């Protein structure tokens, strides 16, 4: 399994963080999936990115657990994202 994962990481030019997420997903029993594998999730990422004005990444595993990441580069951008989330709540 390690060899297969190493080959996949090299072939797809994964970052160290991506490889860590994949290893963690294997260890907890669910394969980590990302938007690259699902056009519906990719579309949702784009819609959220457009809404927040920042890059959005969605990662999930086969157990239904996941993460939503919204990038920001400074406090003002972060505060703008928080304000937009509060508006919808």
């Amino acid at each position: 399994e390690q060899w297969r994962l190493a080959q996949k990481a090299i072939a797809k030019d994964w970052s160290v963080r991506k490889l860590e997420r994949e290893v963690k997903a294997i260890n907890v029993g669910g394969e980590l999936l990302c938007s690259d594998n699902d056009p519906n999730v990719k579309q949702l990422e784009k819609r959220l990115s457009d809404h927040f004005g920042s890059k959005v990444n969605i990662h999930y595993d086969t157990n239904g657990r996941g993460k939503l990441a919204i990038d920001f580069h400074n406090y003002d951008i972060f505060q703008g994202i928080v304000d937009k989330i509060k508006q919808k709540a």
Side-chain angles (χ1 to χ4, degrees):
E1 176 109 17
Q2 289 176 340
W3 181 251
R4 182 191 62 78
L5 192 60
Q7 288 177 320
K8 193 172 180 182
I10 292 167
K12 294 189 175 192
D13 196 29
W14 287 349
S15 67
V16 172
R17 298 294 174 244
K18 168 75 173 158
L19 181 57
E20 287 173 343
R21 287 191 305 266
E22 293 288 334
V23 168
K24 183 178 179 183
I26 289 169
N27 289 336
V28 296
E31 182 183 355
L32 190 64
L33 306 171
C34 68
S35 62
D36 295 340
N37 301 332
D38 187 335
N40 294 321
V41 176
K42 192 73 171 169
Q43 181 182 19
L44 180 57
E45 278 182 343
K46 177 159 180 16
R47 288 178 53 209
L48 289 171
S49 293
D50 291 345
H51 177 74
F52 290 118
S54 293
K55 184 177 178 182
V56 173
N57 289 304
I58 300 171
H59 296 277
Y60 57 95
D61 65 26
T62 55
N63 295 326
R65 298 174 54 183
K67 292 182 182 184
L68 171 70
I70 304 171
D71 291 353
F72 58 91
H73 301 287
N74 60 48
Y75 181 77
D76 291 334
I77 293 171
F78 172 72
Q79 191 59 53
I81 292 167
V82 170
D83 291 343
K84 288 179 181 180
I85 291 171
K86 285 182 179 179
Q87 288 175 358
K88 299 293 179 182

